């Protein structure tokens, strides 16, 4: 997580009164928009999800990626990066533990705070490795949603 620089989130304050932005406006705001473009392209390719632009007072406008009547992830815009919040299925630990050595430092730092009560996982995306970790986390949520659909 980034420090107090987010206390004044420029995206949030600029968007509070603004009309609903489109994806291009999200891209134009971010200095690392190429990671967001790649992330969305990967999610579209693998899951053909519904991508919604939503508003919540706490975050301002954000992107919600949904499939199988559930949320795959939420993409929250910060001053100079974005973070991705994924639901954290109970079985995730068994998939993630063996992968820890190849995951990014950001992932390892966030994963150190995971407990049995963890219901969602937020990760900042500022590098390609972090983006790849997020794609893997989303795949675990997609697996859970697919299995829930079958029941």
């Amino acid at each position: 997580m980034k420090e107090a620089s987010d206390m004044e989130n420029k995206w949030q304050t600029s968007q509070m009164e603004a009309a609903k932005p489109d994806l291009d406006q999200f891209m134009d705001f971010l200095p690392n928009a190429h990671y967001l473009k790649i992330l969305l392209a990967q999610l579209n390719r693998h899951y053909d999800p519904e991508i919604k632009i939503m508003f919540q007072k706490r975050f301002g406008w954000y992107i919600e990626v949904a499939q199988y009547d559930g949320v795959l992830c939420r993409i929250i815009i910060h001053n100079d990066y974005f973070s991705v919040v994924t639901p954290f299925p109970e079985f995730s630990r068994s998939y993630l533990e063996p992968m820890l050595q190849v995951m990014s430092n950001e992932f390892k730092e966030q994963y150190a705070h995971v407990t049995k009560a963890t219901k969602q996982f937020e990760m900042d995306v500022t590098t390609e490795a972090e983006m790849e970790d997020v794609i893997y986390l989303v795949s675990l949520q997609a697996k859970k949603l697919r299995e829930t659909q079958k029941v």
Side-chain angles (χ1 to χ4, degrees):
M1 297 281 167
K2 303 297 183 255
E3 71 292 324
S5 66
D6 264 349
M7 295 297 249
E8 173 63 32
N9 185 320
K10 292 179 193 125
W11 170 260
Q12 184 179 4
T13 51
S14 72
Q15 297 300 311
M16 277 303 179
E17 304 300 322
K20 184 176 183 176
D22 60 21
L23 283 176
D24 288 339
Q25 288 170 284
F26 284 93
M27 300 301 175
D28 290 346
F29 181 83
L30 286 169
N32 66 346
H34 55 289
Y35 294 131
L36 182 54
K37 287 176 185 165
I38 294 167
L39 174 64
L40 290 172
Q42 289 289 332
L43 296 178
N44 276 322
R45 192 172 115 224
H46 292 292
Y47 307 109
D48 191 27
E50 182 180 354
I51 296 179
K52 305 174 195 172
I53 296 175
M54 310 286 284
F55 183 84
Q56 198 174 77
K57 196 167 182 84
R58 189 169 138 214
F59 309 122
W61 290 103
Y62 67 95
I63 302 166
E64 184 173 276
V65 182
Q67 184 189 46
Y68 301 121
D69 297 325
V71 173
L72 287 174
C73 66
R74 290 182 179 89
I75 301 166
I76 300 168
I77 307 302
H78 301 275
N79 286 338
D80 56 357
Y81 67 99
F82 64 95
S83 62
V84 179
V85 179
T86 53
F88 197 77
E90 289 178 26
F91 66 79
S92 293
R93 292 174 79 113
S94 63
Y95 282 84
L96 293 169
E97 297 280 337
M99 299 289 293
L100 280 177
Q101 71 242 22
V102 298
M103 302 298 262
S104 68
N105 289 334
E106 168 71 11
F107 179 86
K108 291 173 190 170
E109 286 174 30
Q110 297 307 319
Y111 191 77
H113 302 289
V114 167
T115 67
K116 288 194 183 297
T118 299
K119 298 290 184 219
Q120 63 182 16
F121 192 93
E122 182 171 3
M123 197 167 133
D124 300 339
V125 178
T126 59
T127 68
E128 187 173 344
E130 292 165 357
M131 182 197 61
E132 290 171 1
D133 292 348
V134 163
I135 291 169
Y136 186 62
L137 286 167
V138 170
S139 77
L140 296 176
Q141 173 63 2
K143 174 179 170 45
K144 176 188 177 228
L145 292 173
R146 268 193 311 274
E147 290 173 357
T148 306
Q149 277 299 101
K150 292 176 185 173
V151 175

